[in-house]
Amino acid sequence: MQQQRREVILPASSSTRRAANGMAAAAAVCLFAILPKCSGFAPVIIPSQTARPSQLGLGQPQQPPPSSSSPTRLHSDWSDFSYIDDDDDLLDDDSMKGIDFADENDPQELKAQVGSSLEPPELDWFGDPLEVPLGSALPLEPETIQGLLAACRNEIGTMFGYSAENRGVGITGGVDFVELDGPIVVLRLKGRFWHQRPTVLDRVAAYLQGRCPEIIDVVVEDEWQLTDEANNAAA
């Protein structure tokens, strides 16, 4: 009778299992270190039951590599920041500071009261205004232009600062006769206007030419006088 061989599989001891698991973890670490060197290959490691995440470098926050294309951001602690005491310092004109102007809807008495503290535009001619109807044909002479200009200051007076009421709301503008350049009248604009300066010049020109048809054109002595910069710089 032939003796029958039996293979007995004994259960692994706990020490044997720990050794096997340790070897598996070591193999996984080696594999993780070698495979990333192969281009295009990104291994996914599944730890064994006994391998700890810290042993495999898992479960720990990873810092992204610095990027050369990302701009460096500098942060200020505002230690050199200073406060501007008065925003009026930012204005480009300080000639009107300290004056509490009236509003255009305020009573005329209040406007006049405020405007009386300001000097009116200076005049260089003190003759009588030459008030004639539109369509008149007065001769082209300096005295005629001066008289018509004096009447124009009254006719469209809301544009100028010759009245205290207008100065009370901040209008200090005036117009002067400079010279006759042939059939061209040369004027000077000064002070501050509410209207655009080219508009003021057009209104004055229409008044003069409507009563002295010999006038070919009405201009200012300096084109800068028609700019907003000139108006803002005026008192």
Side-chain angles (χ1 to χ4, degrees):
M1 184 176 188
Q2 194 174 9
Q3 187 177 1
Q4 191 176 17
R5 297 179 59 186
R6 294 181 180 179
E7 293 182 0
V8 178
I9 300 175
L10 300 176
S13 64
S14 59
S15 60
T16 303
R17 287 196 298 269
R18 284 196 298 270
N21 289 336
M23 294 177 63
V29 172
C30 293
L31 185 64
F32 183 82
I34 295 173
L35 289 181
K37 297 181 180 180
C38 302
S39 60
F41 186 84
V44 177
I45 304 300
I46 301 177
S48 65
Q49 293 179 353
T50 58
R52 298 177 181 177
S54 59
Q55 293 174 334
L56 301 178
L58 301 177
Q60 299 179 355
Q62 302 294 322
Q63 297 295 331
S67 175
S68 58
S69 61
S70 300
T72 303
R73 296 186 179 182
L74 302 179
H75 299 276
S76 172
D77 59 359
W78 298 90
S79 59
D80 58 348
F81 182 79
S82 59
Y83 174 72
I84 298 176
D85 293 332
D86 190 356
D87 287 345
D88 289 339
D89 292 336
L90 301 177
L91 299 176
D92 54 6
D93 174 45
D94 59 359
S95 60
M96 296 295 187
K97 287 181 181 179
I99 301 177
D100 187 14
F101 286 107
D103 186 78
E104 59 180 328
N105 297 319
D106 287 335
Q108 292 294 100
E109 294 78 8
L110 178 59
K111 296 177 184 178
Q113 180 181 356
V114 176
S116 61
S117 64
L118 299 172
E119 293 293 330
E122 185 177 355
L123 295 173
D124 57 3
W125 189 82
F126 302 96
D128 295 329
L130 189 54
E131 298 178 350
V132 294
L134 180 65
S136 300
L138 298 177
L140 181 58
E141 299 173 353
E143 285 293 315
T144 301
I145 302 304
Q146 288 279 28
L148 287 175
L149 195 57
C152 178
R153 295 186 187 107
N154 296 332
E155 180 72 18
I156 57 174
T158 55
M159 286 190 162
F160 303 112
Y162 296 105
S163 69
E165 291 82 2
N166 285 2
R167 295 194 301 275
V169 294
I171 302 174
T172 62
V175 58
D176 293 333
F177 172 71
V178 177
E179 64 179 352
L180 278 178
D181 184 9
I184 299 174
V185 176
V186 182
L187 302 177
R188 177 186 301 117
L189 294 180
K190 59 187 180 182
R192 182 182 295 242
F193 298 90
W194 272 13
H195 299 80
Q196 294 289 322
R197 287 188 167 211
T199 301
V200 176
L201 180 64
D202 290 344
R203 291 288 302 275
V204 174
Y207 186 93
L208 298 178
Q209 291 177 303
R211 291 157 179 82
C212 183
E214 294 182 52
I215 300 174
I216 299 302
D217 198 6
V218 179
V219 300
V220 290
E221 61 179 345
D222 186 347
E223 288 294 323
W224 182 78
Q225 295 177 6
L226 298 179
T227 64
D228 290 338
E229 182 182 1
N231 196 62
N232 293 335

